[in-house]
Amino acid sequence: MSALDPAGPSAGAIAQVWWWMFGVAALVWLGVCVAGALAMRRRAALTPAQHRRTARRWLIGGGLLLPGTAITALLVFGSPAGLHQLPWPGARDAGGAPLRVEAIGHQWWWEVHYPDSGLRLRNEMRIPAGRAIDVHTMSRDVIHSFWVPRLGGKLDAVPGRTLVVRLQADRPGAYRGVCAEFCGTGHAHMGLVVQAMPAGDFEAWMQQAQKAQQSQQAPQQAQETGPSGPPHAGAAPAAPTAPAAASATGGAR
């Protein structure tokens, strides 16, 4: 769960900005300590002209130069970190085109949907390692926030809107995620696990999961259509719920 132990380019950029901010803050703290120690020394009283000159130096140095330098540095080092989170169109890398995954917040669980295959998992996301993942966040009730600290930044899941963040896992492993926005009494237990798999293993799992989902849907569709074949009046094929689909694919946690 540590954002300072990154396992992907997006999280790595965020960690780098954090360490720079920590280093600069440490230098500022040290400078304040030194300035405080110097200010406590006894010295001769200043003349009115010296008072004005000292006040002007503090105004220019502490009120203009210091904050201006700090803001500029944050823009220089922080902007590239933000660019890593953006889903640039047409982006391709060694892992291929970005994979689209939808993370849908509910009170108090995550529904993970793969639009290309129709698979749905509960509180689990499986991704291929080394490939960019475009996570489309949304919510079915209140505002949630999707966050996997070791893979990238957090992004709110807002009712009626779809927001996108790009993540990537450099190596296979299990990475914990949470809802980072208070969403009610079950908020503290609203977590998920991102399973990064080798590309070949991910494709094999995807095929097996699709077959399992189809075999689960077949009896349900047969019961709805009846023995004669055509659907009963008013009957519509029922899509599997997230918990059911997760159980079929082995993804429920």
Side-chain angles (χ1 to χ4, degrees):
M1 289 289 290
S2 175
L4 301 183
D5 183 21
S10 296
I14 293 174
Q16 185 179 35
V17 172
W18 189 94
W19 281 113
W20 273 102
M21 293 178 63
F22 174 79
V24 172
L27 290 176
V28 171
W29 176 81
L30 181 61
V32 170
C33 291
V34 172
L38 294 175
M40 297 298 292
R41 293 188 311 168
R42 288 191 176 186
R43 55 185 176 180
L46 299 178
T47 65
Q50 289 175 324
H51 270 296
R52 289 192 296 271
R53 190 161 50 248
T54 302
R56 189 179 302 112
R57 289 173 181 173
W58 279 107
L59 177 62
I60 296 175
L64 296 177
L65 295 181
L66 180 59
T69 302
I71 293 174
T72 302
L74 282 175
L75 289 175
V76 170
F77 290 102
S79 295
L83 296 178
H84 276 281
Q85 322 297 316
L86 298 179
W88 295 107
R92 286 179 174 270
D93 53 22
L99 173 68
R100 172 170 175 162
V101 182
E102 295 177 353
I104 306 167
H106 299 262
Q107 288 180 313
W108 291 274
W109 58 282
W110 289 102
E111 175 187 354
V112 177
H113 177 223
Y114 297 83
D116 294 338
S117 63
L119 292 177
R120 295 180 186 272
L121 304 181
R122 182 187 180 103
N123 293 335
E124 181 183 21
M125 179 183 294
R126 298 200 180 194
I127 63 174
R131 182 178 176 184
I133 310 297
D134 285 348
V135 180
H136 294 242
T137 68
M138 56 197 79
S139 173
R140 291 290 184 260
D141 34 57
V142 299
I143 296 178
H144 302 280
S145 187
F146 178 86
W147 188 31
V148 185
R150 296 188 63 198
L151 298 184
K154 65 181 70 173
L155 187 68
D156 284 349
V158 182
R161 297 187 61 185
T162 300
L163 306 177
V164 187
V165 62
R166 177 161 294 176
L167 306 180
Q168 179 176 322
D170 288 337
R171 54 189 179 274
Y175 306 98
R176 289 181 58 199
V178 295
C179 173
E181 182 80 19
F182 181 75
C183 55
T185 56
H187 165 73
H189 305 287
M190 187 174 172
L192 78 158
V193 176
V194 177
Q195 295 282 356
M197 312 167 65
D201 293 351
F202 175 79
E203 294 299 332
W205 167 79
M206 181 68 73
Q207 294 176 3
Q208 294 176 359
Q210 286 180 285
K211 291 179 181 179
Q213 180 173 266
Q214 291 171 358
S215 63
Q216 181 190 30
Q217 291 177 342
Q220 189 177 28
Q221 292 176 351
Q223 183 179 8
E224 291 172 352
T225 56
S228 60
H232 296 294
T241 62
S247 176
T249 58
R253 286 186 180 271

